[in-house]
Amino acid sequence: MTADRAGTAHVRQLLGAYVLDALDAGECVTVSRHLQRCDGCAGAYVEVAEASAILGLLDEEDLLE
């Protein structure tokens, strides 16, 4: 994790797992709390969540094109 100017660790590398509900409880709380106070990571979370939702709409044929 990288840190912001206040020394708080960013969570961007955990966002994919967070969106997919693949983090343990402690990591989930850490990410959730961080997203409440970090606009940069919150914006990245929205992008990851949107990409995940779009990928969920694709089927095998779409991926082979």
Side-chain angles (χ1 to χ4, degrees):
M1 285 187 255
T2 59
D4 63 15
R5 288 175 287 208
T8 304
H10 290 290
V11 296
R12 289 188 179 122
Q13 70 273 21
L14 298 175
L15 293 177
Y18 182 75
V19 166
L20 297 174
D21 197 27
L23 297 177
D24 65 37
E27 290 172 317
C28 189
V29 168
T30 298
V31 172
S32 178
R33 287 182 180 163
H34 183 80
L35 292 176
Q36 292 174 12
R37 65 181 183 275
C38 180
D39 291 339
C41 288
Y45 164 77
V46 170
E47 292 175 6
V48 171
E50 288 174 347
S52 177
I54 290 168
L55 287 173
L57 298 175
L58 299 176
D59 60 24
E60 187 175 345
E61 281 185 29
D62 295 324
L63 298 173
L64 295 175
E65 291 181 1

